[in-house]
Amino acid sequence: MLLWVVLGGTAGALAADADLPIFDTHLHYSGPDVGGAAGLWTPEEILAKLDRNHVSRALFSSRPNEATQRLYEAAPERIVPFLMPYRSREDRHAYHSDPDLIPWLEQWLEWGHWRGIGEFHLFSEHAGTEVIRDMARLAEARGLILQLHGDHGVVERLFEHAPGVTLLWAHAGTVPVPFFIGLYLERFENLYVDLSMRNERIAPDGVLDPEWAALFERFPERFMVGMDTFSPNRWRQFDALVAETRHWLTQLPPELAEALAWRNAERLLETSAR
């Protein structure tokens, strides 16, 4: 199959559907403070960006969480809301040790539509706090997905805290190397990977790397794509980011391309809801 990718990838891309649907698993709509996307574009304008790029569904988080709520209320069939555990811009550096975090999360969860907690930034030196332990167990008990921006040590610690939790590893982790990622996917069956911010590694100069292609074939249900609109500038680049992602997806066999583009995300949501 790797020979297909190396020799036939270009022909496969030309033959594939240029409008391959995308389920984006890593979007933000933060603000409306100065410079925030929620202060620049209305929910309807964000939905129009999704429409013209054939992004059929999308996972969103934001600070404050009210922005994601507004998006969900504008299109509940398309927006998958995740609860971000930050109350302020500075909170991202201290939330992991805040004794008030869990009651605050429980209060937010009363809204009832959240499907996960994250994206949250966490590194190994803070992954063992009681607050993080309790957050992981809260997610496990409620069937919520955790979306982690962090290193491999955090992955291990979160599964120690809550062996049954489902973890979506943002950006393919901090060591986005196929061999290394494969080791962790072998160890943890509830670990999934979002590939946001990794297009240059996956497809240098637009050409799909054979090692990444082999990893996707080895774990065809564990990867999904995202554009990571962490800033207004990323929203301005959104059309190009989607096109770039769709370009390397269409260098995969069609069934595998569909899996990464949208089927795996749909399946993950169905599984976590049980």
Side-chain angles (χ1 to χ4, degrees):
M1 190 64 74
L2 280 180
L3 188 63
W4 185 97
V5 174
V6 176
L7 298 181
T10 301
L14 292 172
D17 184 359
D19 295 332
L20 175 69
I22 297 288
F23 186 144
D24 193 311
T25 59
H26 195 131
L27 291 177
H28 302 294
Y29 183 56
S30 292
D33 53 334
V34 176
L40 298 173
W41 296 285
T42 65
E44 290 72 24
E45 289 170 328
I46 293 295
L47 292 170
K49 291 177 183 288
L50 302 185
D51 287 340
R52 70 169 176 259
N53 287 285
H54 305 280
V55 177
S56 55
R57 296 189 75 189
L59 188 162
F60 272 89
S61 62
S62 62
R63 181 204 51 79
N65 289 298
E66 286 90 346
T68 291
Q69 283 184 314
R70 290 194 296 274
L71 267 177
Y72 175 84
E73 288 162 0
E77 74 286 354
R78 296 181 67 182
I79 304 303
V80 180
F82 269 41
L83 177 61
M84 188 174 278
Y86 307 152
R87 284 168 281 187
S88 68
R89 189 185 301 273
E90 296 73 25
D91 209 27
R92 126 180 199 179
H93 305 292
Y95 79 99
H96 46 70
S97 302
D98 182 354
D100 295 327
L101 178 67
I102 302 305
W104 183 81
L105 289 175
E106 290 175 331
Q107 184 177 7
W108 266 104
L109 289 171
E110 292 178 6
W111 181 53
H113 299 294
W114 304 109
R115 298 301 307 274
I117 297 173
E119 178 193 14
F120 57 90
H121 299 71
L122 187 64
F123 295 90
S124 294
E125 59 265 32
H126 301 128
T129 68
E130 290 185 7
V131 172
I132 294 301
R133 178 201 65 194
D134 291 346
M135 185 176 76
R137 292 177 179 176
L138 176 66
E140 180 184 39
R142 297 195 180 215
L144 299 170
I145 301 164
L146 292 179
Q147 187 172 35
L148 165 70
H149 178 134
D151 58 47
H152 58 281
V154 180
V155 171
E156 296 176 358
R157 184 55 65 91
L158 289 173
F159 282 123
E160 288 174 7
H161 292 325
V165 77
T166 298
L167 185 61
L168 180 57
W169 202 3
H171 318 304
T174 57
V175 184
V177 175
F179 174 78
F180 188 76
I181 296 168
L183 294 177
Y184 277 79
L185 291 174
E186 283 182 344
R187 288 179 60 189
F188 302 111
E189 62 180 14
N190 291 338
L191 178 64
Y192 296 82
V193 177
D194 98 48
L195 298 166
S196 58
M197 301 295 293
R198 299 306 184 198
N199 281 352
E200 274 301 312
R201 286 179 174 269
I202 295 167
D205 298 319
V207 179
L208 182 63
D209 182 274
E211 291 188 16
W212 281 98
L215 183 66
F216 299 151
E217 291 183 357
R218 187 177 164 203
F219 299 99
E221 297 183 353
R222 308 283 283 281
F223 291 93
M224 46 209 78
V225 297
M227 307 309 136
D228 192 4
T229 50
F230 63 85
S231 70
N233 195 47
R234 293 285 290 185
W235 275 116
R236 295 185 183 102
Q237 299 170 348
F238 188 69
D239 296 12
L241 293 170
V242 175
E244 183 180 83
T245 300
R246 190 176 274 118
H247 178 69
W248 67 255
L249 281 170
T250 56
Q251 295 172 51
L252 291 166
E255 185 174 347
L256 185 55
E258 285 193 0
L260 271 66
W262 64 274
R263 290 189 187 277
N264 289 347
E266 293 283 4
R267 186 182 302 111
L268 176 60
L269 288 175
E270 292 171 3
T271 301
S272 65
R274 293 173 187 168

